[in-house]
Amino acid sequence: MNISQTIKSNAIEYLSDIRNLYIEAFGGGFSAQHIDIVELNRYLLAILHDGYALLHIEDERIEAVLLACPLEMDEYLPKEISDKYEPENCLYIAEMMVEEASRGKGLGKKLMEAFETTADKKRYKDAFIRVWDQNEPALSLYRKMGYADIAEIQQTKRKADSEDTFVMNKIYLHKKLI
């Protein structure tokens, strides 16, 4: 039987599955980067403590995850955003991950729609997401869903297979939640 559901949770029971999906999404491919497991666990626990996860589950297997938290948790938040908005009253999509085998099935769009439907609009008036400028599928999806470019930053990452580093240009996108 094919059982598909999207759930909202901050339960750490999903931590291992979320961590594995994170490693798959960001530890390989063209943008492969070093992932410190201890730091990753700390990061994910902080998000689940102060925010939540939207999980797309198919036959008891997590295929996609959206992690959301207050924007004030973004340690890279550009001053041009924090000066214009109240970060504690904004939601931040900290991560959006779809397992490789499930990409192209519309799961990212489904999670974004669930995010906008379930967001606490009494508390949060704006939503932000940060994405690598080379991730054209993600940029296309977010822009089609009404998110607009608002700022850019550069992040230095350590390559997965060495001590060398590389720079990723990241774009912040914004959308009103009302």
Side-chain angles (χ1 to χ4, degrees):
M1 179 192 306
N2 218 8
I3 300 174
S4 176
Q5 61 179 335
T6 300
I7 63 168
K8 182 177 181 177
S9 173
N10 62 358
I12 61 170
E13 69 188 78
Y14 299 108
L15 180 62
S16 177
D17 292 323
I18 294 169
R19 181 181 55 236
N20 291 339
L21 189 55
Y22 185 99
I23 291 167
E24 177 191 313
F26 303 112
F30 179 64
S31 64
Q33 51 200 267
H34 170 76
I35 298 171
D36 179 311
I37 300 301
V38 172
E39 187 57 37
L40 176 59
N41 281 334
R42 189 178 359 253
Y43 171 69
L44 295 175
L45 285 169
I47 290 173
L48 293 174
H49 182 267
D50 293 333
Y52 59 91
L54 287 171
L55 309 159
H56 179 79
I57 301 172
E58 182 83 32
D59 291 331
E60 299 181 23
R61 190 182 92 256
I62 296 176
E63 290 186 314
V65 175
L66 181 152
L67 298 174
C69 60
L71 181 61
E72 62 192 337
M73 290 183 67
D74 178 13
E75 65 183 276
Y76 300 102
L77 185 64
K79 188 168 176 24
E80 63 204 83
I81 294 176
S82 61
D83 284 351
K84 186 175 179 181
Y85 299 89
E86 297 174 355
E88 66 277 5
N89 295 326
C90 300
L91 264 177
Y92 173 54
I93 300 170
E95 304 296 341
M96 168 81 94
M97 304 166 285
V98 178
E99 70 176 0
E100 191 171 353
S102 298
R103 292 181 188 153
K105 294 172 34 177
L107 298 181
K109 181 179 180 184
K110 186 173 187 171
L111 285 177
M112 293 293 289
E113 290 170 346
F115 167 76
E116 291 181 15
T117 301
T118 62
D120 179 357
K121 294 178 187 83
K122 290 180 183 173
R123 178 176 176 194
Y124 301 109
K125 306 300 180 209
D126 298 274
F128 291 84
I129 189 166
R130 179 180 69 219
V131 64
W132 182 34
D133 68 355
Q134 300 299 304
N135 189 343
E136 287 298 328
L139 283 168
S140 176
L141 169 65
Y142 306 146
R143 289 170 177 152
K144 284 179 186 172
M145 296 200 68
Y147 286 76
D149 298 28
I150 192 165
E152 293 184 26
I153 64 165
Q154 291 187 328
Q155 277 185 296
T156 301
K157 302 285 188 171
R158 191 171 119 202
K159 292 183 178 179
D161 57 355
S162 73
E163 293 295 320
D164 294 335
T165 61
F166 65 101
V167 174
M168 295 181 90
N169 295 312
K170 300 280 187 92
I171 299 171
Y172 278 84
L173 296 102
H174 164 261
K175 182 177 181 177
K176 283 274 187 211
L177 285 173
I178 327 175

